[in-house]
Amino acid sequence: TSPPASRRKTLVRVAVTVILLGGGIGAISTLHGMDWRAFGGALAGVALVPLVIALAVIAVQVFAQLLRFYVLVPPTVMPPLWELLDATAIGQLLNYATPLRAGDAYKLLRLAPGTAGEAKTGRFGTLLAALLVERAADVVGLFIMAAWASLSELEAWWLSVLPSAGTSWKIAIAFVAVALLLAVLARRLPRALGSFFDTTWGALRSPRFAASIGVALLTWTLDAGTLFWTTRAGGYPLSFREVMQSVFVLNLGIAMPITVGNIGVFEAALAFALSRHGVPAERALAIATVEHFAKFSGLGLCVGMLRLARVTVWRPGAGAGHPASLHSAGPPSGPVARREK
């Protein structure tokens, strides 16, 4: 390995280690900062069967979130499947436990290097574009689900603010002008930055983006499904439309993480949303606390399952991306037999 490549590999390892340590500290801080007395009190009045169903749904949702990123990665830079799933799951957990979405940086640092630690040409930019487009698909999916949940309210609001024909033409002309301006600026950008924008725009226009939006709709449906069962576990069942509206308000509240693991902010935002649908404030806070713990548990369960699969099914040393069961423990079979003395 050349000295620059070796130095780059060392820096990547140091950065990954720092992010993982920060994530570990964040996870410990999250668990330490939780009001366990309030959590115990919330559990005391929770029905067990709906809670177990909620935990199962959140586990499925986490794996669906991994799929959302997987469908956006082009085949030319696709890492081995187990490596991609493992890095994405740990990144999701780090995003949850640390501020500033450190998990996304972890995913890029871990997946961008090619074989033997060498960075493939354009690989980092392609994965970064996939990550940004995944965020866009996630936001689009959330707004689509929220619009469906609030269709009647949106219809009344839209009719009240519907622009006139003249105003509509002005908005359309302004939109076209901005698009042309961005296209001109993109051609004048430095080559590397222009190539990145081209890659991102190509990802947005590709069928992979539509597939990612489809997966995002599934993940938000499962996210609302978790709360659907958590509210039943808490004794105040809400309709699916109502829990989807609550999920939307919750994600607006935690869009900018200001505490480790969104402790306090998550509970306050979700309790406020639930109280708007008639859940008493004290019970809404208890349901929000249980929901927060279920989210964290689902992520931890997903990472644990993939870590176990990494040890028992996938052996990186035996060939990345290949199940261990495909490697025979015995001597290789072939037409040439060992000669006897």
Side-chain angles (χ1 to χ4, degrees), residues 26-27 29-36 39 42-43 51 54-55 58 61-62 93 95-98 223 226-227 230-231 250 254 257 259-271 274 284-300:
S29 300
T30 300
L31 295 174
H32 182 265
M34 286 189 68
D35 189 343
W36 290 100
F39 178 67
L43 280 181
L51 180 60
L55 290 172
I58 187 61
Q61 186 219 354
V62 172
L93 184 60
N95 278 340
Y96 204 76
T98 59
D223 198 336
T226 304
L227 185 58
T230 306
T231 56
L250 166 64
I254 62 175
T259 62
V260 176
N262 288 312
I263 296 177
V265 181
F266 184 103
E267 287 80 3
L270 184 53
L274 293 175
L285 185 59
I287 292 173
T289 303
V290 173
E291 177 76 3
H292 198 179
F293 185 80
K295 299 283 188 188
F296 203 76
S297 300
L299 281 167

Side-chain angles (χ1 to χ4, degrees), residues 34-300:
M34 286 189 68
D35 189 343
W36 290 100
R37 181 175 298 178
F39 178 67
L43 280 181
V46 164
L48 183 60
V49 173
L51 180 60
V52 171
I53 296 175
L55 290 172
V57 173
I58 187 61
V60 175
Q61 186 219 354
V62 172
F63 281 102
Q65 288 175 333
L66 308 188
L67 179 63
R68 188 180 61 211
F69 181 63
Y70 171 79
V71 299
L72 278 170
V73 179
T76 54
V77 297
M78 178 69 72
L81 178 59
W82 283 109
E83 184 74 11
L84 178 65
L85 292 178
D86 188 53
T88 307
I90 295 176
Q92 291 284 92
L93 184 60
L94 290 173
N95 278 340
Y96 204 76
T98 59
L100 303 178
R101 302 196 67 83
D104 290 340
Y106 169 83
K107 281 195 292 187
L108 289 174
L109 289 172
R110 180 170 165 184
L111 296 175
T115 57
E118 296 288 341
K120 294 183 178 179
T121 305
R123 185 185 183 95
F124 183 87
T126 303
L127 289 173
L128 177 58
L131 192 63
L132 294 176
V133 174
E134 182 210 4
R135 292 292 96 206
D138 192 36
V139 172
V140 170
L142 175 60
F143 274 87
I144 290 175
M145 292 299 296
W148 167 81
S150 307
L151 195 58
S152 58
E153 294 88 343
L154 282 176
E155 184 179 4
W157 172 80
W158 176 251
L159 291 175
S160 66
V161 299
L162 189 65
S164 62
T167 304
S168 300
W169 274 108
K170 292 178 182 178
I171 293 174
I173 293 172
F175 179 81
V176 171
V178 170
L180 291 175
L181 179 62
L182 290 176
V184 172
L185 290 177
R187 293 181 178 274
R188 297 179 177 272
L189 290 172
R191 182 176 180 182
L193 194 56
S195 176
F196 170 73
F197 276 108
D198 287 341
T199 303
T200 305
W201 179 241
L204 287 170
R205 292 183 300 169
S206 72
R208 297 192 305 272
F209 181 56
S212 186
I213 291 177
V215 178
L217 293 175
L218 172 63
T219 60
W220 288 119
T221 300
L222 292 170
D223 198 336
T226 304
L227 185 58
F228 178 85
W229 287 105
T230 306
T231 56
R232 276 152 179 75
Y236 285 88
L238 298 180
S239 69
F240 193 83
R241 286 181 181 272
E242 290 172 332
V243 295
M244 189 62 241
Q245 292 172 1
S246 300
V247 167
F248 179 73
V249 173
L250 166 64
N251 281 272
L252 288 181
I254 62 175
M256 292 297 291
I258 57 176
T259 62
V260 176
N262 288 312
I263 296 177
V265 181
F266 184 103
E267 287 80 3
L270 184 53
F272 168 78
L274 293 175
S275 64
R276 302 294 294 176
H277 294 291
V279 181
E282 182 179 352
R283 203 60 199 159
L285 185 59
I287 292 173
T289 303
V290 173
E291 177 76 3
H292 198 179
F293 185 80
K295 299 283 188 188
F296 203 76
S297 300
L299 281 167

